[in-house]
Amino acid sequence: MPHALETRLAELGLSLPDAPAPAANYVPWVISGNQVFVSGQISQSKGGLITGKLGADLSTEQGAEAARNCALSLLAQLRAAVDGDLSRLKRVVKLVGFVNCTPDFTDQPKVINGASDLMVELLGDVGRHARSAVGTPSLPLGVAVEIEAIFEIS
């Protein structure tokens, strides 16, 4: 029987991608006690990397969509960490989002809302979390957004 998260994804016409492989010398996730620390997931879709700079190449709405895709990758990594048993998820504890943007761009929170809103849309109160949204002059591979997460599991 599918977990409620998988059912909700299907209702929204979404699916989790395969958990992306690390691009350098790190692991995609670490379990410590009852927490899963997921390494930063960069913005990508089925079509490839979502690149560009907010405030120059991309609108806030496009950035929020990139962040939404990061959230799907975060959940894919979580699924891998719990061997596919998403019923172990107790809550989203924290998201830390990085936005590739111009120096005068100030809507980083609106961009990272793409991920935050999706977590709540998929998980309800379990998806509510602490958060940071930070602007940066560049990100790996020129991507628009990178987000890391902490999840609580049983």
Side-chain angles (χ1 to χ4, degrees):
M1 186 168 184
H3 181 265
L5 171 59
E6 294 163 326
T7 301
R8 186 69 180 127
L9 282 162
E11 288 171 359
L12 295 173
L14 299 171
S15 62
L16 297 183
D18 291 333
N25 187 19
Y26 64 91
V27 295
W29 47 266
V30 170
I31 296 177
S32 179
N34 66 342
Q35 294 186 322
V36 180
F37 295 79
V38 179
S39 296
Q41 299 297 297
I42 59 176
S43 53
Q44 55 188 331
S45 67
K46 290 178 183 172
L49 296 176
I50 301 170
T51 59
K53 190 173 287 288
L54 279 288
D57 310 313
L58 300 172
S59 69
T60 300
E61 294 75 21
Q62 289 171 309
E65 183 62 27
R68 186 174 168 100
N69 282 304
C70 290
L72 292 172
S73 292
L74 289 166
L75 291 168
Q77 293 292 4
L78 173 66
R79 180 179 60 191
V82 297
D83 296 322
D85 184 4
L86 289 169
S87 69
R88 293 181 61 195
L89 175 62
K90 296 301 173 199
R91 79 168 299 127
V92 181
V93 176
K94 185 169 185 180
L95 298 182
V96 179
F98 302 93
V99 179
N100 182 359
C101 61
T102 61
D104 60 337
F105 184 80
T106 59
D107 282 337
Q108 293 87 355
K110 290 180 182 176
V111 170
I112 303 304
N113 277 348
S116 294
D117 292 347
L118 182 62
M119 292 294 186
V120 173
E121 190 174 8
L122 291 172
L123 300 164
D125 284 341
V126 169
R128 297 192 187 284
H129 52 271
R131 188 183 87 178
S132 299
V134 179
T136 184
S138 68
L139 285 171
L141 306 173
V143 296
V145 179
E146 180 175 355
I147 304 176
E148 63 182 55
I150 303 169
F151 297 100
E152 181 184 352
I153 59 171
S154 59

